[in-house]
Amino acid sequence: MKVEEILTAMSNKGLRITEQRKTLAKLFVEHSGYLAPKEVYEHMSKMYPGMSFDTVYRNLRVLHEMDIIEQFMFEEGVKFKLHCHAHDHHHHFICLECENTVPFEFCPMDYVKTVPDGFTPVKHKFDIYGYCDSCRH
Amino acid sequence: MKVEEILTAMSNKGLRITEQRKTLAKLFVEHSGYLAPKEVYEHMSKMYPGMSFDTVYRNLRVLHEMDIIEQFMFEEGVKFKLHCHAHDHHHHFICLECENTVPFEFCPMDYVKTVPDGFTPVKHKFDIYGYCDSCRH
DNA sequence: CTTTATGCAAAGGATTTGCAGATTA
DNA sequence: TAATCTGCAAATCCTTTGCATAAAG
């Protein structure tokens, strides 16, 4: 996804394109891993000295509600990344060091044969954590 | 795991066995699902009117550090459940309504054939969410 | 010029910490 | 008795909200 597409989508919803939102969109487009609100804030306040935390939260929520970014719960708290539109259904490799993610299409649900009596599966979570090439020691 | 085992383990570590800790151990042994700190607090304060939140947090941390309970991040926040010692490696069905969990032995890692170039898998997360027999509508 | 976004300050919720008194071993 | 635990109060941290001003369309 490109910065332009994100801004156009926001514009079409009647939202205003501010400098902060441009910077935020650019940040997510250029960063393939997860970002915590604090990391977003730190990045943004470099270019916007008066940047406030609530603007970060507000805009993260806007992007999340528009399905432009997705939310993920880590042990350390919430993080966000650009939503994957690439494949239909997929899962992720996530680097424990740099948190960059690589999608893959294999889905374990294709191999699950039996579920407990009377249990109705609705959704599932499958992620593989490890170290990517550059972060391996 | 039985209440006695938990208390003995705590005792062996030089920790004191208080009424609150007995109640907490019993709660987790008798509840097969996840519990949020607030739920723990509510349960405990029924028997201990003066119960305080910090005691709940302190003891949850103690049990977690001793690997007696495990921590899991839900969208709504942290929750805890008794650590599964039953099988070696396993995953869970988790009911979205009552949050009770059922372990199963199938592991998707047995079926994952290729990982991205240079990626070293370390751990993984796989859970199936849905509705159990009694919570299905 | 009308509407929406921002920054500020303040509020809210969850979790942690310091301390004196209560409780365990 | 000596140690740890508890409840209280206060402190933090993270996130949200209300409001006046600034910026976008």
Side-chain angles (χ1 to χ4, degrees), chain A:
Chain A
M1 204 166 194
K2 308 197 66 154
V3 176
E4 275 313 312
E5 297 176 60
I6 297 175
L7 299 180
T8 305
M10 297 182 88
S11 208
N12 291 343
K13 286 203 63 167
L15 299 170
R16 308 252 154 113
I17 307 308
T18 64
E19 287 304 310
Q20 288 91 327
R21 283 176 175 170
K22 279 186 202 164
T23 308
L24 185 60
K26 194 156 171 286
L27 173 60
F28 276 108
V29 169
E30 290 174 353
H31 184 91
S32 63
Y34 282 93
L35 289 165
K38 196 192 290 188
E39 295 172 300
V40 173
Y41 171 75
E42 275 156 13
H43 175 91
M44 306 264 297
S45 44
K46 275 181 201 154
M47 8 202 81
Y48 291 89
M51 192 69 202
S52 70
F53 241 113
D54 27 80
T55 300
V56 170
Y57 279 111
R58 269 188 290 241
N59 285 323
L60 285 175
R61 189 177 342 171
V62 167
L63 290 181
H64 184 228
E65 282 170 356
M66 291 180 68
D67 270 328
I68 289 169
I69 59 177
E70 57 187 61
Q71 216 185 54
F72 198 95
M73 278 291 181
F74 285 85
E75 295 283 307
E76 324 87 66
V78 236
K79 301 204 175 178
F80 299 84
K81 71 182 283 297
L82 208 57
H83 195 117
C84 300
H85 289 288
H87 316 70
D88 263 347
H89 177 77
H90 63 275
H91 295 281
H92 292 114
F93 290 103
I94 302 171
C95 178
L96 292 164
E97 186 82 21
C98 65
E99 274 161 9
N100 268 16
T101 61
V102 184
F104 60 90
E105 290 179 40
F106 167 87
C107 177
M109 295 310 281
D110 298 340
Y111 296 86
V112 171
K113 293 181 196 71
T114 50
V115 299
D117 243 26
F119 191 92
T120 315
V122 172
K123 59 177 185 174
H124 59 280
K125 183 179 279 186
F126 178 47
D127 301 283
I128 303 177
Y129 299 85
Y131 294 100
C132 71
D133 211 358
S134 21
C135 294
R136 190 175 22 178
H137 336 280

Side-chain angles (χ1 to χ4, degrees), chain B residues 66-104:
Chain B
M66 290 179 69
D67 269 328
I68 290 171
I69 59 177
E70 57 188 60
Q71 214 185 56
F72 198 94
M73 276 291 182
F74 286 83
E75 295 281 308
E76 324 88 66
V78 234
K79 301 202 174 179
F80 298 85
K81 71 183 281 296
L82 207 59
H83 196 116
C84 298
H85 290 288
H87 317 70
D88 261 347
H89 177 75
H90 62 276
H91 297 281
H92 293 113
F93 289 103
I94 302 171
C95 178
L96 292 165
E97 185 82 20
C98 65
E99 274 160 8
N100 268 18
T101 62
V102 184
F104 60 90

